[in-house]
Amino acid sequence: MSITIKSAEDIEGMRLACRLASEVLDYITPHIKPGITTKEIDRLGAECMAQQGTISATVGYQPPGYPPYPASLCTSVNHVVCHGIPNDKPLKKGDIVNVDVTVITKDGWYGDNSRMFLIGECSIAAKRLSALTFEAMWHGIVQVKPGAHLGDIGHAIQKFAEGQGFSIVREFCGHGIGKKFHEEPQVLHYGRPGTLEELVPGMVFTIEPMINAGRREVKDFGNDGWTIVTKDHSLSAQWEHTVLVTETGYEVMTLSAGSPPLPAFVTATAT
Ligand code: MF3
Ligand code: CO
Ligand code: CO
């Protein structure tokens, strides 16, 4: 298999899927406060997808060696790195949570994105990790243009995040996306400039760095086959967008009314 190049019509399909995926995050946002459980967030996400006429890409998702994923979205709290399964434990003041939503439209296109949420007043360290992980994602996004290489994206993210004293999770990466959830290429969040695949207009992939406040090593939480946590129990954050390579640069596809403002060093969501 190789990297699919999306046609103009494919791109229209992806724009819709990605906007809807972002709107699911908008829909749940006002509800994410101390006392809500991650299961309630999951229910709200499912309710929004039903209203949209989309379906969750994660319910029943079962890559080789995994049990079927049991929920409509992922909720990764504090030292959970990714793939946290919604449960009945209420979120409390000071928690940070990543909510990761992937929808499939009627036409079969996938849109994948995630945001961090701060629950009530959080520590300076937690706020800093979340904000700088958002910036790290954008440092990767602005590398995207024809002729650039995947290694440029990974390098920009790694240089920025490690420069802040954080570490990059190596075991999980961004991915091509289209009529499948995970397509080629893998988009590493570390690397060397000028290496790996050259970017071509029409490629669509996610950029979704997982960044730890402490050491980079992760482990299976153990009992559910999905949840990944930091080995040293340090906080972890993640943000995710789906990005199109355009003729002149990039287009961030997973945007909607509730998307957070761009970091100061970014001038446009599309170039
Ligand atoms: N949305 C995740 C990603 O960004 C994948 C979640 S798979 C699940 O690639 F099964 F854990 F939901
Ligand atoms: Co993804
Ligand atoms: Co995702």
Side-chain angles (χ1 to χ4, degrees), residues 29-53:
T29 296
H31 302 277
I32 304 190
K33 345 180 238 228
I36 193 171
T37 68
T38 47
K39 257 213 177 124
E40 285 161 349
I41 297 172
D42 186 58
R43 191 194 60 74
L44 288 163
E47 176 177 279
C48 181
M49 292 179 216
Q51 286 173 18
Q52 291 176 334

Side-chain angles (χ1 to χ4, degrees), residues 100 102 112 173-175 181-182 206 208 240:
D100 191 337
T102 312
D112 185 7
C173 56
H175 49 92
F181 196 166
H182 296 104
T206 70
E208 49 178 304
E240 175 176 27

Side-chain angles (χ1 to χ4, degrees), residues 4-15 109 201-202 204 244:
T4 64
I5 302 300
K6 273 70 178 176
S7 68
E9 190 187 334
D10 298 345
I11 290 167
E12 280 311 313
M14 285 300 290
R15 282 199 181 106
W109 295 105
V204 180
L244 165 71

Side-chain angles (χ1 to χ4, degrees), residues 1-2 4 43 60 64 88 96-98 111 154 160 171 213 222 224 229 257:
M1 271 301 291
S2 56
T4 64
R43 191 194 60 74
D88 288 316
I96 60 171
V97 58
N98 172 277
F160 176 75
E171 288 80 355
D224 63 23
V229 297

